[in-house]
Amino acid sequence: MDDFYRELIIDRYKNPQFRGVLDPADISFEDDNPLCGDHIHIDLRVGEDGIVREARFDGKGCAISQASADLLMEKIIGMHLDEVKQISKQDILDMLGIELGPVRLKCALLSLKVLKAGVYGLGEATDDLVEDE
Amino acid sequence: MDDFYRELIIDRYKNPQFRGVLDPADISFEDDNPLCGDHIHIDLRVGEDGIVREARFDGKGCAISQASADLLMEKIIGMHLDEVKQISKQDILDMLGIELGPVRLKCALLSLKVLKAGVYGLGEATDDLVEDE
Amino acid sequence: MANHILTTTLDVKKIREDFPVLGRQVRPGVPLIYLDSTATSQKPTSVIETMDRFYRNSNANIHRGIHVLAEEATAAYEEAREKVRRFLNAPSSRQVIFTRNTTEAINLVAYSWGLSQLKSGDIVLLTEMEHHSNLVPWYLLAERLGLRLEYVSVSDEGLLDVADFERKLELKPKLFAFTHMSNVVGTINPAKEMIAKAHQVGAITLLDGAQSVPHFRVDVRDLDVDFLAFSGHKMCGPTGIGVLYGKKDLLEQMPPFLGGGDMIKRVTLGSFKPNELPYKFEAGTPAIAEAIGLGAAIDYLSRIGMDAIAQHEHALVSYALDRLAEIPNLRIFGPSADKKGGVVSFVMDGVHAHDIAQVLDQSGVAIRAGHHCAMPLHEKFQIPATARASFYLYNTFDEIDHLVNAIYRVKDLFGV
Amino acid sequence: MANHILTTTLDVKKIREDFPVLGRQVRPGVPLIYLDSTATSQKPTSVIETMDRFYRNSNANIHRGIHVLAEEATAAYEEAREKVRRFLNAPSSRQVIFTRNTTEAINLVAYSWGLSQLKSGDIVLLTEMEHHSNLVPWYLLAERLGLRLEYVSVSDEGLLDVADFERKLELKPKLFAFTHMSNVVGTINPAKEMIAKAHQVGAITLLDGAQSVPHFRVDVRDLDVDFLAFSGHKMCGPTGIGVLYGKKDLLEQMPPFLGGGDMIKRVTLGSFKPNELPYKFEAGTPAIAEAIGLGAAIDYLSRIGMDAIAQHEHALVSYALDRLAEIPNLRIFGPSADKKGGVVSFVMDGVHAHDIAQVLDQSGVAIRAGHHCAMPLHEKFQIPATARASFYLYNTFDEIDHLVNAIYRVKDLFGV
Ligand SMILES: Cc1ncc(COP(=O)(O)O)c(C=O)c1O
Ligand SMILES: Cc1ncc(COP(=O)(O)O)c(C=O)c1O
């Protein structure tokens, strides 16, 4: 049990470091996981060079979705948008350091889905964005 | 095999005794078994006293449906219409003297169904007419 | 722990032996505690073996075949229909239509009865506690026809508001479609009285029996209900099979829904004549083995006895409500045990329902977390998700103790 | 008996051991000779046991569950979808929608694509050799929308008339829906060429693969077909499961068909947002165990090899046609062996098809008699019913000899 809820996840869930809102922001996007009501909003500030300068998430949901969003924001600060587009499902799993079943995977990947939809400038966040097909 | 196709059935199929048309007739009705294309037409002449005076069938189909129609015509001549209404599924099976699966049962009962729909003056022949529910 | 009277007339130990999966360890040393029967029930050996035997001995397509296998398969399939008829006390097995599940059964009514009988401006009355299966078909129909949908409101306690129901009936709905038992709060609605009242204003009634038929005696003649829908997989039967029961005159008037083999009497190029009931509504090769499996499930449940099952579940849920009430920071939804079936939904301050379920799973306790396909009810309660434990004939008081202990572990882990 | 080259690359003796029912005696001393696979195929042990294992070990409802069983069930269900994708060479498993059977898959297209894309006066092109499943859904739709239905005519030999097809295409049909292989005369239609021609006039194409997918390699990308429908029960899989494959852009544009759980993203009182593919079209609890069983069937067929299966069936049907041609007063329908799959339909002067089937059954030979859900084709041939023997991977040349001998017994009995 404690394996699963690694200290990192509980810690980031209870004490997130990148929770917040950026106003103004260069890129904003939000979506939810309809299966559980998880909701994630993401704001990015991006330099002219395409490098992410600041990143914040807001939302509510389970420990996995919120911790994963917090860790993801940390990860992308300093990245080029083109690199952000390359972040894969596996990167998120490595970041969390746990194994996940298909349902919790959706929780873990929600922030990445929202992030990618925002970065690509899409109208809607779809699962395709985070599947390694 | 020969059990099943009792001599009686093959005989009545090949040499029916009540095949034909009555014109005019007091009661006429026809229907088919949609599952196999069997078709039965029945004509009756009925006295003022409600007794069946003459009965003929016409149609085409399998040995069971045609033999059963032929035997049924023979059976009802001389019967009162009220008695005809009482003829049951089991009566037909007894008359044929064989056991039948659910599909062939429909073949065997087609003539009774047509007969009853005609006698009751119904617009349509339904399976309810020949089920012992 | 309070002093509880833990009584049941079921020999649960023996019943558990009928369900192979209940002997499973989900991880080495961690036995399964299955508290998710509202989502789907487990299956007894007799059901599994009945289908197995069918495939090994009698498998054939039905209705049109003359050979021995086809006759055996047809007889077994129709015998299953008769078992359903008897289980529901329905007048005729012609009124028993096999579908995939509750959802398809309700859609069948929406497409066939609804599209042909309803028109713009007509009112369909639902409730706020419906499963999506008894909402979305009506949304789709409302969009197509311009219907007006109304909802009987649900109290904070999780009961239908009787006064609101009577007010809504004054609108003269053409259809009142409602759940017999909520899959979230467990409320058992007084279906018989509600159906009678709906009939008084001329409404047709549809009862979602997904959670009632598996758990207590449902008598369609006593209820006088017009349509009843339920699923095999929630009542010890296989997946892929459900039932629509309907009153004969309604079913007879209804146009076909799906077109294809078996539902026709005659087909020419450009026209067809529909078959008689129930075949009119069973297009194509049906779920033959699954219908036969459902028949075996009904045999199994009938052998145990639906009243005994209901009593057992009532004892379990009473105990569960008492034990859960001891836990600080737990909010339990739904009415008291006397008004509900074996379902308990709850939330915990500071821990999302998904996390509760995940941590419980580590202890082998299988519950469900989410909106349970009843988003509007969750919206009403202003929560995105609940954790839900649900019980069936094979659950024990012991398992509820395990549930409670596991919930304490969640609290420890999250420090709440 | 003519001199036949009886060759096959299949080890049929070994294959037969995989199918428990083939060891059965239908009556004491009378072994089963199953020649009715076109109606439904038999099931290998691996398929039966896969479903059995699922119910004994991992049974749970899918998608929404967090516990171990739900995760295992979800993974197995989605893995089955991936197996179907690979089997069809479809681009994405999102394009694989599970239905009950071929019939429901075609109805899904008629209700969802048809109702939203077609309008009064539009032409739907079918053929005279269609199964009722690919006729009646279009009749129902035509009635609702005022469509015009046209039919590619069938020659006396049982082939589609190419010139008539090209003439009908000039009418610019919006949809061309046709069978890949006739379930009566066995004709294999040149689907790839016909689809290309239909696309040239802008038609959407739907292929009824009920008889093709089980019997030879069907590659949706190579065919470039827009929709493909087929049934699990005809390809060694269980009843209660079928598939609709569709091109992604079409499926994405299409509105939902059945409403309920799982096919939604979000529901409020009065509105909903549909889920992504393929879930948009899978309302309610799906046939979970059956999808997994279909996956096992695909594994089984793939292990044997679809090309080897097709070759074997071709050898069987060639032999059967030769042997049946020897019998006086037998009229055989359909083209020569090189243009067809493993199906032979025939009539006998003076003996109804039902009686043939019945007498054959006494010898353990299971064939089908009737219109085989293709009344219009029978009308065309001006016969009410045919007797049909059909073959699959587990049939032998020996069994065909038994069939022929049994037919001679029918002739004796009826004196024809
Ligand atoms: C060509 C064809 N299409 C459609 C069907 C219908 O299949 P199902 O009854 O599984 O829906 C069949 C099966 O009999 C068939 O042979
Ligand atoms: C009350 C209620 N209605 C309908 C359904 C839908 O059942 P199915 O998914 O079997 O169609 C469920 C099952 O979750 C339910 O609990």
Side-chain angles (χ1 to χ4, degrees):
Chain A
M1 160 167 72
D2 310 79
D3 261 8
F4 181 84
Y5 274 75
R6 282 182 65 215
E7 221 170 293
L8 175 70
I9 291 171
I10 304 263
D11 179 52
R12 286 296 190 119
Y13 172 59
K14 300 185 72 167
N15 309 299
Q17 292 166 29
F18 297 88
R19 185 181 278 280
V21 177
L22 300 175
D23 185 13
D26 298 308
I27 292 175
S28 295
F29 206 79
E30 61 184 1
D31 198 20
D32 11 52
N33 179 346
L35 296 178
C36 58
D38 286 353
H39 178 84
I40 297 279
H41 176 99
I42 281 176
D43 291 322
L44 305 183
R45 286 198 185 133
V46 185
E48 304 253 308
D49 52 0
I51 303 286
V52 177
R53 293 279 188 273
E54 286 188 71
R56 289 289 179 282
F57 83 98
D58 201 7
K60 52 182 184 188
C62 62
I64 304 266
S65 75
Q66 305 298 303
S68 143
D70 199 53
L71 289 162
L72 183 62
M73 294 304 99
E74 177 168 18
K75 184 186 178 80
I76 62 170
I77 292 172
M79 268 190 180
H80 192 280
L81 287 183
D82 288 343
E83 284 175 283
V84 171
K85 290 178 185 171
Q86 300 309 316
I87 299 173
S88 71
K89 175 166 99 177
Q90 196 51 51
D91 293 334
I92 300 290
L93 291 180
D94 293 346
M95 188 178 82
L96 292 171
I98 53 175
E99 282 200 25
L100 287 174
V103 173
R104 300 320 300 280
L105 203 55
K106 283 193 196 290
C107 304
L109 296 177
L110 178 60
S111 51
L112 181 62
K113 198 168 131 179
V114 169
L115 176 66
K116 285 201 178 176
V119 169
Y120 279 105
L122 301 177
E124 199 180 0
T126 63
D127 287 347
D128 286 349
L129 290 168
V130 293
E131 275 171 13
D132 305 340
E133 276 191 304
Chain B
M1 164 165 73
D2 311 78
D3 261 6
F4 181 86
Y5 275 75
R6 281 183 65 215
E7 222 171 290
L8 175 70
I9 291 171
I10 303 263
D11 178 52
R12 285 296 190 118
Y13 172 60
K14 300 185 76 168
N15 308 299
Q17 293 167 29
F18 296 89
R19 186 180 279 280
V21 177
L22 299 175
D23 187 12
D26 298 307
I27 292 177
S28 294
F29 205 80
E30 62 184 1
D31 197 22
D32 10 53
N33 179 346
L35 296 177
C36 58
D38 286 353
H39 179 84
I40 296 280
H41 176 100
I42 282 177
D43 290 322
L44 304 185
R45 284 194 188 135
V46 185
E48 303 252 309
D49 53 1
I51 303 285
V52 178
R53 293 279 189 274
E54 286 189 70
R56 289 289 180 281
F57 83 99
D58 201 7
K60 51 184 188 190
C62 62
I64 304 266
S65 75
Q66 304 299 304
S68 143
D70 200 53
L71 289 163
L72 182 62
M73 295 304 100
E74 176 169 21
K75 182 184 180 82
I76 63 171
I77 292 171
M79 266 189 182
H80 193 280
L81 287 183
D82 289 341
E83 286 176 282
V84 170
K85 290 178 185 172
Q86 300 308 316
I87 299 174
S88 70
K89 174 166 100 178
Q90 195 52 51
D91 293 334
I92 301 291
L93 292 180
D94 292 348
M95 187 178 83
L96 293 170
I98 54 175
E99 283 199 24
L100 287 174
V103 174
R104 300 319 301 279
L105 202 54
K106 283 191 196 289
C107 304
L109 296 177
L110 177 60
S111 52
L112 181 62
K113 196 168 132 181
V114 170
L115 176 65
K116 284 201 176 176
V119 169
Y120 279 105
L122 301 178
E124 198 180 0
T126 63
D127 287 348
D128 286 346
L129 288 169
V130 292
E131 275 172 14
D132 305 340
E133 276 192 302
Chain C
M1 204 188 305
N3 207 359
H4 296 282
I5 308 165
L6 309 181
T7 54
T8 174
T9 57
L10 293 190
D11 185 351
V12 182
K13 191 155 173 293
K14 196 156 155 290
I15 287 174
R16 289 178 70 83
E17 286 168 9
D18 297 333
F19 291 81
V21 78
L22 297 182
R24 173 168 170 182
Q25 302 198 336
V26 294
R27 256 167 247 100
V30 183
L32 171 66
I33 293 175
Y34 188 74
L35 303 179
D36 194 21
S37 295
T38 290
T40 199
S41 75
Q42 294 303 340
K43 324 299 176 201
T45 308
S46 64
V47 168
I48 301 170
E49 287 184 349
T50 295
M51 292 190 288
D52 210 286
R53 234 180 353 255
F54 173 73
Y55 283 129
R56 287 173 193 273
N57 290 303
S58 309
N59 173 67
N61 213 325
I62 55 170
H63 294 316
R64 293 155 300 183
I66 288 168
H67 52 79
V68 167
L69 298 193
E71 284 178 358
E72 290 177 0
T74 305
Y77 180 73
E78 292 304 333
E79 192 183 309
R81 198 193 302 280
E82 170 60 18
K83 286 177 185 177
V84 174
R85 183 204 67 70
R86 220 180 307 132
F87 194 64
L88 303 177
N89 190 28
S92 158
S93 64
R94 294 182 176 280
Q95 295 166 263
V96 173
I97 294 156
F98 285 122
T99 64
R100 177 170 39 246
N101 49 27
T102 306
T103 304
E104 194 195 16
I106 296 174
N107 278 276
L108 195 168
V109 176
Y111 273 98
S112 173
W113 181 85
L115 267 182
S116 65
Q117 301 296 318
L118 298 176
K119 56 179 198 316
S120 177
D122 280 350
I123 292 175
V124 168
L125 182 57
L126 308 165
T127 87
E128 287 180 347
M129 66 166 71
E130 296 312 308
H131 188 278
H132 296 162
S133 289
N134 196 27
L135 292 173
V136 183
W138 309 113
Y139 296 177
L140 289 169
L141 192 67
E143 202 170 65
R144 206 182 285 284
L145 296 181
L147 305 176
R148 188 173 136 201
L149 302 181
E150 293 286 342
Y151 307 87
V152 179
S153 66
V154 171
S155 72
D156 290 344
E157 203 194 337
L159 297 175
L160 288 182
D161 178 335
V162 179
D164 190 54
F165 175 52
E166 310 217 320
R167 266 194 308 277
K168 298 277 160 64
L169 284 183
E170 284 169 21
L171 300 170
K172 299 248 182 289
K174 287 284 194 301
L175 174 74
F176 175 43
F178 68 113
T179 189
H180 205 169
M181 173 172 142
S182 161
N183 67 318
V184 180
V185 287
T187 311
I188 297 174
N189 292 315
K192 186 173 174 176
E193 292 74 44
M194 297 179 80
I195 289 164
K197 282 184 184 162
H199 282 164
Q200 275 168 23
V201 302
I204 293 290
T205 54
L206 180 150
L207 192 62
D208 174 351
Q211 297 302 339
S212 60
V213 175
H215 296 285
F216 51 89
R217 191 186 296 276
V218 173
D219 179 325
V220 292
R221 275 196 273 201
D222 180 54
L223 290 172
D224 194 28
V225 70
D226 299 295
F227 295 110
L228 171 73
F230 59 96
S231 300
H233 69 92
K234 294 187 198 281
M235 53 190 286
C236 297
T239 50
I241 191 80
V243 169
L244 175 68
Y245 158 85
K247 281 194 184 157
K248 206 163 194 170
D249 52 337
L250 286 169
L251 292 175
E252 271 171 356
Q253 286 159 22
M254 282 156 61
F257 171 40
L258 303 181
D262 271 358
M263 55 66 73
I264 56 90
K265 253 199 168 154
R266 194 176 303 112
V267 177
T268 59
L269 280 188
S271 80
F272 76 100
K273 194 168 164 228
N275 205 339
E276 296 179 22
L277 289 176
Y279 312 111
K280 179 166 79 173
F281 293 112
E282 293 182 359
T285 304
I288 303 169
E290 293 71 22
I292 295 168
L294 175 58
I298 286 176
D299 286 343
Y300 181 80
L301 292 173
S302 305
R303 215 152 50 228
I304 309 260
M306 291 309 291
D307 293 340
I309 291 170
Q311 188 276 334
H312 175 70
E313 290 177 24
H314 182 256
L316 288 173
V317 78
S318 304
Y319 182 63
L321 285 176
D322 284 355
R323 293 277 350 248
L324 292 172
E326 296 165 11
I327 306 176
N329 295 326
L330 213 67
R331 182 174 157 211
I332 299 169
F333 295 89
S336 54
D338 56 318
K339 300 196 190 71
K340 73 185 220 160
V343 179
V344 185
S345 290
F346 55 92
V347 295
M348 190 189 283
D349 287 348
V351 187
H352 189 281
H354 269 195
D355 295 321
I356 301 176
Q358 184 88 53
V359 179
L360 259 53
D361 176 60
Q362 301 293 311
S363 311
V365 178
I367 65 159
R368 197 142 287 235
H371 54 61
H372 316 299
C373 291
M375 277 189 159
L377 187 62
H378 283 77
E379 214 166 81
K380 173 95 183 186
F381 291 150
Q382 299 190 309
I383 36 161
T386 49
R388 179 186 74 189
S390 56
F391 315 119
Y392 208 5
L393 69 164
Y394 38 65
N395 290 118
T396 65
F397 297 103
D398 241 26
E399 290 181 311
I400 291 169
D401 292 336
H402 274 289
L403 167 69
V404 171
N405 294 342
I407 292 175
Y408 277 110
R409 279 200 291 278
V410 178
K411 292 173 70 73
D412 282 353
L413 197 65
F414 278 81
V416 296
Chain D
M1 202 188 309
N3 207 359
H4 297 281
I5 308 164
L6 308 182
T7 54
T8 174
T9 57
L10 293 190
D11 184 350
V12 182
K13 189 154 173 294
K14 196 154 155 290
I15 287 174
R16 289 179 69 82
E17 286 168 10
D18 296 333
F19 291 80
V21 77
L22 297 182
R24 175 171 168 178
Q25 302 197 338
V26 295
R27 253 166 249 100
V30 183
L32 171 67
I33 294 175
Y34 189 74
L35 303 179
D36 194 20
S37 295
T38 291
T40 199
S41 75
Q42 294 303 339
K43 324 300 175 199
T45 307
S46 64
V47 168
I48 301 171
E49 287 185 349
T50 295
M51 291 189 288
D52 210 286
R53 236 182 348 257
F54 173 73
Y55 283 129
R56 286 174 194 274
N57 290 303
S58 309
N59 172 67
N61 213 326
I62 54 169
H63 293 317
R64 291 155 301 182
I66 289 169
H67 52 79
V68 167
L69 297 193
E71 285 177 357
E72 289 177 2
T74 305
Y77 180 74
E78 292 302 333
E79 192 183 309
R81 198 192 303 278
E82 170 60 19
K83 287 177 185 177
V84 174
R85 183 204 68 71
R86 218 179 307 131
F87 195 64
L88 302 177
N89 190 28
S92 159
S93 64
R94 293 181 177 280
Q95 295 166 262
V96 173
I97 294 157
F98 285 123
T99 63
R100 178 171 37 248
N101 49 27
T102 306
T103 304
E104 193 196 16
I106 296 174
N107 278 275
L108 195 168
V109 176
Y111 273 99
S112 173
W113 181 84
L115 268 183
S116 64
Q117 301 295 319
L118 299 177
K119 56 180 196 315
S120 176
D122 280 350
I123 292 174
V124 168
L125 182 58
L126 307 165
T127 87
E128 287 180 347
M129 66 165 72
E130 298 311 308
H131 188 279
H132 296 164
S133 289
N134 197 26
L135 292 173
V136 184
W138 309 113
Y139 295 178
L140 289 169
L141 191 67
E143 203 170 65
R144 205 182 284 283
L145 296 181
L147 306 176
R148 186 172 139 205
L149 303 180
E150 292 286 342
Y151 307 87
V152 179
S153 64
V154 170
S155 72
D156 290 344
E157 201 193 339
L159 297 174
L160 288 181
D161 178 335
V162 180
D164 190 53
F165 175 53
E166 308 216 322
R167 266 194 310 278
K168 296 277 160 67
L169 284 183
E170 285 169 20
L171 301 170
K172 300 249 183 288
K174 287 286 193 302
L175 174 74
F176 175 43
F178 69 112
T179 190
H180 204 169
M181 172 171 144
S182 161
N183 66 319
V184 179
V185 286
T187 310
I188 297 174
N189 291 315
K192 185 173 175 176
E193 292 72 44
M194 296 180 79
I195 289 165
K197 281 184 185 161
H199 281 164
Q200 275 168 23
V201 301
I204 293 291
T205 53
L206 180 149
L207 193 61
D208 174 352
Q211 296 302 339
S212 60
V213 175
H215 297 285
F216 51 89
R217 190 187 296 276
V218 173
D219 179 325
V220 291
R221 274 196 271 202
D222 180 54
L223 289 172
D224 195 28
V225 71
D226 299 295
F227 295 108
L228 171 73
F230 60 96
S231 299
H233 70 92
K234 293 187 198 280
M235 54 190 287
C236 297
T239 51
I241 191 81
V243 169
L244 174 68
Y245 158 85
K247 283 195 182 156
K248 204 162 194 170
D249 53 338
L250 287 168
L251 292 175
E252 271 170 357
Q253 286 158 21
M254 281 155 61
F257 171 39
L258 303 181
D262 269 0
M263 54 67 73
I264 55 90
K265 255 201 168 150
R266 194 175 305 114
V267 176
T268 59
L269 280 188
S271 80
F272 76 100
K273 195 171 163 222
N275 205 341
E276 297 179 22
L277 289 176
Y279 311 112
K280 179 166 81 172
F281 293 112
E282 292 181 0
T285 304
I288 303 170
E290 293 71 22
I292 295 168
L294 175 58
I298 286 175
D299 285 344
Y300 181 81
L301 292 173
S302 304
R303 214 151 51 229
I304 309 260
M306 290 308 293
D307 292 340
I309 291 171
Q311 188 275 335
H312 175 70
E313 291 176 26
H314 183 255
L316 288 173
V317 79
S318 304
Y319 181 63
L321 285 176
D322 285 356
R323 294 278 345 253
L324 291 172
E326 297 166 11
I327 305 175
N329 295 326
L330 213 65
R331 181 173 158 213
I332 298 170
F333 295 88
S336 54
D338 56 319
K339 300 196 190 72
K340 73 185 221 161
V343 180
V344 185
S345 290
F346 55 92
V347 295
M348 190 189 282
D349 286 348
V351 187
H352 190 280
H354 269 195
D355 294 321
I356 300 176
Q358 185 88 52
V359 178
L360 259 52
D361 175 61
Q362 301 293 310
S363 310
V365 178
I367 65 159
R368 198 143 284 236
H371 53 61
H372 316 300
C373 291
M375 277 189 158
L377 186 63
H378 283 77
E379 212 164 83
K380 174 96 182 186
F381 291 150
Q382 298 189 312
I383 36 159
T386 48
R388 179 186 72 188
S390 57
F391 315 119
Y392 208 6
L393 70 164
Y394 38 65
N395 290 118
T396 64
F397 297 103
D398 241 26
E399 289 181 312
I400 291 169
D401 292 336
H402 274 288
L403 167 69
V404 170
N405 295 341
I407 291 175
Y408 277 110
R409 279 200 292 278
V410 177
K411 293 173 68 75
D412 283 353
L413 195 66
F414 278 81
V416 295

